C-alpha cells in the first residue's frame, strides 16, 4: 500500500507520469523517523496521517528516552513532531511537505 501511496503522490506532484511509472515493486520507501511526545496534538495528527497513508515510521519519544532526546536535539529539534524522511527534516506536522518528500522517493525510481 505504501508503494501505491508513493506512486500516487508522485503523480499528483507531477514528478512521474503513468507511462513512465516504474513497477510498484521497484519503488523503495525511505526511512521515516518521528521524534514526538505522548501528549503532542500534532504528533497525533502525524500518526494518523502516516497510518492512513500506510507509511511505516519509527517513533522516538523524547520525554521517555534520553537517547531520543539527544538525537532530537542534535537534529535541530525545537518542537514536536520532528519528522525525518531519509535526509530531509520537517519541523512540525505539514501534510504537504511530508507528501512532497515521500513523492521524491517515488520520482527517484522513475
Amino acid at each position: 500500500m505504501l508503494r501505491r501511496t508513493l506512486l500516487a503522490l508522485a503523480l499528483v506532484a507531477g514528478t512521474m507520469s503513468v507511462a513512465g511509472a516504474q513497477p510498484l515493486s521497484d519503488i523503495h520507501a525511505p526511512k521515516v523517523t518521528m521524534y514526538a511526545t505522548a501528549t503532542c496534538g500534532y504528533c497525533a495528527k502525524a500518526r494518523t496521517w502516516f497510518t492512513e497513508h500506510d507509511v511505516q515510521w519509527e517513533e522516538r519519544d523524547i520525554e521517555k528516552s534520553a537517547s531520543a532526546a539527544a538525537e532530537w536535539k542534535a537534529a535541530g529539534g525545537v518542537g514536536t513532531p520532528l519528522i525525518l524522511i531519509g535526509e530531509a527534516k520537517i519541523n512540525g506536522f505539514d501534510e504537504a511537505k511530508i507528501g512532497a518528500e515521500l513523492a521524491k522517493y517515488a520520482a527517484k525510481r522513475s
Side-chain angles (χ1 to χ4, degrees):
M1 186 62 133
L2 174 59
R3 292 180 186 130
R4 282 184 283 176
T5 300
L6 290 173
L7 179 60
L9 290 169
L11 290 169
V12 168
T15 57
M16 177 184 279
S17 67
V18 175
Q22 290 290 317
L24 294 177
S25 60
D26 290 347
I27 300 172
H28 298 286
K31 180 178 180 187
V32 178
T33 304
M34 178 171 70
Y35 293 91
T37 65
T39 58
C40 166
Y42 288 106
C43 300
K45 288 181 180 193
R47 286 182 202 101
T48 299
W49 192 92
F50 289 146
T51 300
E52 288 175 352
H53 291 85
D54 294 317
V55 174
Q56 293 183 355
W57 79 97
E58 176 185 353
E59 187 166 327
R60 310 271 299 157
D61 190 316
I62 64 170
E63 292 179 329
K64 294 180 180 175
S65 168
S67 63
E71 292 169 12
W72 169 80
K73 187 174 183 177
V78 293
T80 55
L82 170 63
I83 300 169
L84 305 178
I85 301 174
E87 301 283 324
K89 177 173 55 171
I90 300 169
N91 285 298
F93 174 62
D94 185 324
E95 291 179 54
K97 286 183 182 178
I98 294 167
E101 196 57 44
L102 290 171
K104 289 179 186 177
Y105 284 86
K108 287 179 184 178
R109 302 300 300 167
S110 61

